[in-house]
Amino acid sequence: MSLNIAGFGSRVYFIATGTFPVGFFVESFADNVNPVEFDDIETAELVMGVNGNTARFNKPAIINMSVSVLPTSAADKSLSILLQANTVGKNRVLANDEITANVYYSNGEFTQLNDGIIVGGKPGYTISSEGRFETMTYKFQFSGYSFV
């Protein structure tokens, strides 16, 4: 029996406490970059003293995730609103959303990320030299996760 490692059919569900308390699905993923990407996390470190003795310690890790979507899609519009609502600026009221993301994979497994914030994204569309809008990538950070 072979393993099914297809990402086809995956989707992400975002909940933002103030801006999108009911949440929204992201399914319009980009075609030219990784649509959902996680950075590696480092949970422990081994150090060596001047005499060659080693010690290890565990440390907390921030989970970095990026989601790349097709420009002008409904997902892009919702993520853009979320980014704008959580961007500080003169005469602006900050949403200060706490974000939860559930990544549902096509094989039935999922990752739940919690206690998160949106940390980056483009404030408008970039036009590529090919004449199309570039992929919209939004970046998030979370302090907790579970993978089922």
Side-chain angles (χ1 to χ4, degrees):
M1 180 171 117
S2 61
L3 295 174
N4 180 1
I5 59 170
F8 179 80
S10 298
R11 57 192 181 153
V12 181
Y13 188 71
F14 284 99
I15 299 171
T17 52
T19 308
F20 290 102
V22 176
F24 62 92
F25 274 106
V26 171
E27 299 173 308
S28 305
F29 293 119
D31 61 339
N32 57 349
V33 296
N34 291 339
V36 177
E37 189 164 14
F38 293 98
D39 291 347
D40 292 340
I41 59 173
E42 199 171 287
T43 61
E45 191 169 338
L46 186 67
V47 295
M48 186 176 291
V50 294
N51 292 329
N53 299 324
T54 58
R56 69 174 183 89
F57 62 95
N58 293 78
K59 56 186 180 178
I62 298 294
I63 297 114
N64 293 305
M65 178 182 85
S66 62
V67 175
S68 298
V69 297
L70 294 172
T72 75
S73 65
D76 177 37
K77 301 288 187 197
S78 295
L79 291 166
S80 179
I81 290 168
L82 184 59
L83 176 66
Q84 185 177 8
N86 288 278
T87 301
V88 297
K90 186 175 181 177
N91 299 322
R92 297 190 61 166
V93 177
L94 183 64
N96 204 24
D97 285 312
E98 183 177 314
I99 299 171
T100 300
N102 295 315
V103 182
Y104 297 97
Y105 302 103
S106 57
N107 64 0
E109 296 178 335
F110 72 93
T111 300
Q112 182 179 55
L113 303 123
N114 51 46
D115 194 21
I117 58 173
I118 187 166
V119 296
K122 296 176 185 172
Y125 299 121
T126 299
I127 303 171
S128 72
S129 60
E130 292 86 24
R132 69 177 260 184
F133 291 144
E134 283 190 2
T135 295
M136 298 296 284
T137 299
Y138 297 89
K139 298 178 181 182
F140 300 86
Q141 291 184 326
F142 298 92
S143 67
Y145 80 101
S146 60
F147 180 72
V148 180

